[in-house]
Amino acid sequence: MLDLSLRPHPLVSQFESLLAVLNADLPAELATFRRDALNRFSLVGLPTRSDEEFRYLSARTFEDFPSAPAYGATISREQIESTITGGIDSVVVVFVNGEAAPELSSYETLPEGVIVGTLRAALAEGTATGFGTIATLEGKLGSTNDERLVDLNSAYFADGGFIFVPRGLALERPIQIIHVTQADHGTFLVAPRNLIVLEDGAEAKIIESYVGLGGTYASIPVTEVKVGERAHLDWVRVQQESETAIHLSTTAVFQAEASVVRSTVVNFGGLVVRNELNADVRGERTETWLNGVNVGQGEQLIDNHTRLDHAVPNCQSFEVYKSVLDDRSTGVFNGKIFVYEDAQKTDAKQTNQAILLSGQATYNTKPQLEIFADDVKCTHGATVGTLRDDALFYLRSRGIPEKQARALLIYAFAADVLEGVSLPEVRSALEAALFAKLV
Amino acid sequence: MLTIHNLHARVEDKEILRGINLEVKPGEVHAIMGPNGSGKSTLASILAGKPGYEVTEGSITFNGEDLLEMDPETRAAEGVFLAFQYPVEIPGVSNTYFLRTALNQSRKHRGEPELTMPEFTRHIRSKVEMMGLDSSLLSRAVNEGFSGGEKKRNEIFQMAVLEPKLCVLDETDSGLDIDALKVVSAGVNALRNPDRAVIVVTHYQRLLNYIVPDFVHVLMEGRIVRSGDRTLALQLEDEGYGVIEAEVLAAAN
C-alpha cells in the first residue's frame, strides 16, 4: 500500500514546475493564491473513504486519480451544437479541455455593461470581482467541512466562463457556458473555473454544461456565483461527461437580500460524479430553489451534496432531488441545511426521492438539518422505491404495453423536476434528453 | 361475448372465487351485487388482468378467445375496460397524453391507424361535453388532486374515449354524492348500445336506479347464489343480504 504521506502525490510535487504555465499572463498575486491553495491541499491530500464527505466514492477513484495536465483537442461546431443544450439559441462561451475556444463561441453585442467572456481575461483585466471569495466554508457551521477540492481547483484552474450583469439590468438572452472535454491521448486532470456576478437588481438566465466527448479524465470544476440584492438568477447545470470520466464539482452561491435563485442540476453522464452545491444565504427575504434530476446506469455513481446556510431571518428554500437508478449504479444525496441562531422564520423544504430499477442499484440518502434558531419551519422527506405496481397496472389496463408504461412512469417521475426550468426551450431539450435516456 | 365458466381464484392462500358461472351477451347490462368480501371486486380485477390473483380452475372466454391468456394491455385493446373503484393518481403524466397513448396503442394492436393530434382532439371533444367534464382536467396529471367525483367521472370519460366492448364498473358509486352519481350514470347510459355489454359491480342498489340492469346476480362467498331481473336488487334493498344468506345456508344443509 502506497503511503501518500511519505511520497508526495504528483499533484503536489509537480505543482511548482507547472505554475508558470498555469499562471501565464495572470497577475502575480494569483500565483500566490494558487500556491497557498496548493499548500492547504497538500496538508490533507486527496480524500479517502474515511473522509466523511467522500465516503461513497470508491477507493479506486483516488488511487488512480489523474494528475497530468490537459492537452488540446479539435472539436467542431457541429459537435457543440449536438450536445443536450448546444442547440439552444443563446450567447455561448465554449472551453475545450479547460482552454477557451473562441472559434466555437458566439460572442455578440450585449447591453452596455454586460460582460460575457473568459475568466482569465477578467482576471487579467481586474474585472473578476469576488473571485476566490465565494467558494469557501470559512466561518460557517459544520463539523465535516471539507474544501480540498476547491483548493485543488484554485491551485490548478485553467479557465472558464465569466458573466457579469450590472446593476438593475435584466438580461433576456440566455447565456451558456459549455465545458467540453475529450481525452483521446491518455488521461488528464482538468480544472474549469467559472465566475458569475449579478449586481443588485440584475437578472440573468444561465446554462452551465459539462460535456464529455470521450476518453478517461477527471474534471474538478468550481463555479462561484454572486447574486446581489433583489437580483434574479435562473441557473441550469447539465452534466453529461464521458462514460469513464470522474466529475467532482463545487458550486458556491452567495445570495444577498431579497434575491431569488432557481437552480436545476441534471446529471446524466460520468462514471464517478460528485457535485457539491452550496448556497450561502446572507440577506433576508431570499428565495432559493435547488432542484436536481439524476439518472444512473451501468456502474455510475452519482453523489449530490447540497448545503444551505440560512444565516439570516425570513428566508425560504425549496429543494427537490430525484434519482432514477438502474443496473449497478449508486446514488447519493446529502442535503445539509444549517439554520443559524439568528435565522428566525426560516422556511426550508427538502425532498429527495429515488426509484431503483434493478436489485443491484443502491441509493444512500442523508438529510442533515442542523437548526440553531427556535422559530423556523424546516421539513425534509426521503423516499426510495420501485415503480408503483398500481400505477403500472392502471396504465396497462388502458391499453399501454408494459414496457412503454414503465418508461412513461419513470420519465414522469423524473421529468417532474424539470417543470422548474423557466426557459421553455431548455426545458424541452432536457425533457428530450431525459426521455431518450430512459426509453 | 363473455363466458365465465366455473371460475376459481385465490389471492395467496385464500380462496376467493369458488366456481363462478356467468354469460354476458352484447347489449346486456349485468349487475353483480354482494356483501363485502364476497369476491365482487376480485372478479372485476381478474377480468381486467390485475396481477396477484391466481386462477386455479375454470375459464373466461371473451369473443371466442381465452381472456386469461391475455395480458392487461391486450385485454384493453380487445375491448375490456375496468372502471376502477380507486382510480390511481399518476403525477407527471397528463390526462391527454395518457389517453392518446392508450387509444393509439389499442388501435395499433387492432391494426387500425393511429389518430393524429387534431383527430384525437376532435374525438375527445364530444366526450368531454357528454361527461360534463371540466376541460382543464385534460391538461392536468392523471387523477392527481382530483376530487372523488372527478376521479370517477374521469374513469367514465376514459371509457367513452376508448369505446370498449365490455365495460366493468367496480363500485363506481362508492364515494359519490347523488349529483355525481347522476352524472356518472348518465355517462354510462349514453354508452349503452346493442354491441356493448356492461357489468356493474356494486354493494348498493342505489346505482341501479340510474343504470338499470337486465340481470342481477348475487355473489356470496365466491359463488353466484341467485340470479334474477332488477326486482332482485330491489328485494335486496328491502331485506338486506341476510335473508338470502340464510336461505342459501338452509339449502346447503
Side-chain angles (χ1 to χ4, degrees), chain B residues 67-84:
Chain B
L67 190 73
L68 294 172
E69 279 300 302
M70 301 178 199
D71 53 30
E73 51 269 37
T74 309
R75 296 180 197 205
E78 292 289 331
V80 177
F81 183 94
L82 171 67
F84 282 53

Side-chain angles (χ1 to χ4, degrees), chain A residues 74-362:
Chain A
T74 309
I75 305 294
S76 69
R77 197 169 266 274
E78 290 69 40
Q79 283 175 293
I80 300 293
E81 280 165 8
S82 65
T83 64
I84 294 176
T85 52
I88 307 276
D89 185 27
S90 55
V91 183
V92 184
V93 197
V94 179
F95 299 86
V96 175
N97 294 1
E99 302 293 329
E103 73 284 4
L104 300 173
S105 304
S106 67
Y107 292 107
E108 53 189 75
T109 314
L110 290 164
E112 198 179 331
V114 175
I115 308 173
V116 175
T118 71
L119 181 66
R120 286 190 92 88
L123 288 169
E125 289 157 17
T127 50
T129 48
F131 171 79
T133 64
I134 301 160
T136 173
L137 298 177
E138 200 74 31
K140 292 176 191 168
L141 290 174
S143 55
T144 57
N145 293 356
D146 196 324
E147 302 190 68
R148 67 185 94 192
L149 290 178
V150 173
D151 286 332
L152 190 59
N153 177 286
S154 294
Y156 278 97
F157 77 86
D159 204 351
F162 174 64
I163 298 168
F164 178 87
V165 185
R167 179 182 294 265
L169 194 140
L171 189 59
E172 280 306 311
R173 208 155 152 64
I175 303 168
Q176 189 162 193
I177 300 170
I178 304 180
H179 286 277
V180 182
T181 310
Q182 184 176 351
D184 337 281
H185 311 294
T187 174
F188 61 67
L189 175 70
V190 62
R193 181 94 178 205
N194 311 291
L195 176 63
I196 297 166
V197 179
L198 270 59
E199 285 200 321
D200 295 348
E203 289 178 30
K205 301 175 174 75
I206 294 170
I207 305 149
E208 183 184 343
S209 71
Y210 294 87
V211 181
L213 296 177
T216 300
Y217 57 88
S219 178
I220 51 163
V222 169
T223 300
E224 293 182 289
V225 185
K226 189 172 184 181
V227 184
E229 291 179 13
R230 301 173 317 282
H232 280 237
L233 174 65
D234 263 305
W235 176 66
V236 174
R237 184 184 201 278
V238 184
Q239 183 276 113
Q240 175 78 77
E241 298 280 17
S242 300
E243 282 174 13
T244 53
I246 298 172
H247 180 93
L248 308 174
S249 77
T250 307
T251 304
V253 181
F254 174 93
Q255 274 189 263
E257 195 173 312
S259 62
V260 177
V261 170
R262 288 170 188 273
S263 71
T264 305
V265 305
V266 174
N267 287 291
F268 291 160
L271 178 62
V272 177
V273 176
R274 183 182 182 280
N275 299 306
E276 206 168 300
L277 172 52
N278 304 332
D280 185 18
V281 182
R282 293 283 157 174
E284 294 192 32
R285 297 185 314 283
T286 58
E287 271 180 39
T288 312
W289 303 70
L290 305 181
N291 293 332
V293 188
N294 308 285
V295 180
Q297 294 167 332
E299 309 279 341
Q300 275 182 296
L301 169 91
I302 301 179
D303 178 336
N304 284 294
H305 274 61
T306 65
R307 170 182 176 123
L308 274 150
D309 283 90
H310 276 293
V312 294
N314 302 313
C315 293
Q316 293 182 297
S317 63
F318 310 92
E319 181 168 17
V320 180
Y321 267 68
K322 290 192 174 186
S323 301
V324 176
L325 301 164
D326 202 354
D327 306 322
R328 291 163 305 282
S329 65
T330 305
V332 179
F333 176 80
N334 175 221
K336 296 188 183 74
I337 299 179
F338 294 103
V339 180
Y340 290 59
E341 211 177 328
D342 293 338
Q344 302 296 0
K345 306 283 181 196
T346 293
D347 185 357
K349 290 188 189 68
Q350 181 190 83
T351 309
N352 75 98
Q353 300 177 319
I355 287 187
L356 305 181
L357 299 178
S358 117
Q360 283 88 51
T362 52

Side-chain angles (χ1 to χ4, degrees), chain B residues 195-240:
Chain B
D195 301 321
R196 182 173 288 143
V198 181
I199 296 177
V200 183
V201 172
T202 181
H203 186 87
Y204 301 105
Q205 106 88 23
R206 189 178 70 151
L207 178 65
L208 306 181
N209 289 333
Y210 301 98
I211 305 172
V212 179
D214 302 304
F215 303 94
V216 174
H217 310 277
V218 180
L219 193 62
M220 276 181 191
E221 296 193 354
R223 287 190 196 91
I224 290 175
V225 295
R226 188 150 306 174
S227 295
D229 59 16
R230 66 170 305 211
T231 56
L232 178 57
L234 296 169
Q235 184 194 338
L236 281 171
E237 169 97 333
D238 288 343
E239 301 172 358

Side-chain angles (χ1 to χ4, degrees), chain B residues 54-198:
Chain B
E54 191 194 345
V55 173
T56 51
E57 213 183 319
S59 64
I60 305 179
T61 314
F62 180 65
N63 288 333
E65 308 234 14
D66 182 354
L67 190 73
L68 294 172
E69 279 300 302
M70 301 178 199
D71 53 30
E73 51 269 37
T74 309
R75 296 180 197 205
E78 292 289 331
V80 177
F81 183 94
L82 171 67
F84 282 53
Q85 183 178 3
Y86 303 108
V88 181
E89 296 195 7
I90 308 185
V93 180
S94 84
N95 239 338
T96 308
Y97 182 83
F98 162 62
L99 269 178
R100 186 163 169 241
T101 308
L103 183 61
N104 277 337
Q105 286 298 327
S106 291
R107 291 180 67 92
K108 212 161 104 183
H109 174 90
R110 297 192 294 259
E112 300 165 12
E114 296 187 19
L115 294 187
T116 62
M117 199 62 200
E119 287 168 343
F120 175 73
T121 309
R122 268 200 301 281
H123 177 69
I124 60 170
R125 196 172 293 145
S126 58
K127 317 287 182 185
V128 169
E129 282 164 20
M130 188 183 96
M131 286 307 301
L133 208 68
D134 179 352
S135 58
S136 74
L137 293 185
L138 288 174
S139 54
R140 279 169 53 188
V142 179
N143 292 326
E144 193 185 30
F146 286 25
S147 69
E150 283 171 339
K151 282 182 184 170
K152 295 296 173 78
R153 211 183 285 190
N154 196 28
E155 291 293 288
I156 307 304
F157 168 66
Q158 290 175 25
M159 192 163 102
V161 171
L162 297 173
E163 301 179 323
K165 296 186 181 112
L166 174 67
C167 309
V168 183
L169 311 184
D170 187 9
E171 310 232 5
T172 294
D173 49 337
S174 69
L176 289 189
D177 62 30
I178 194 74
D179 292 333
L181 190 68
K182 282 180 182 167
V183 173
V184 164
S185 304
V188 175
N189 286 330
L191 291 173
R192 287 177 75 159
N193 74 31
D195 301 321
R196 182 173 288 143
V198 181

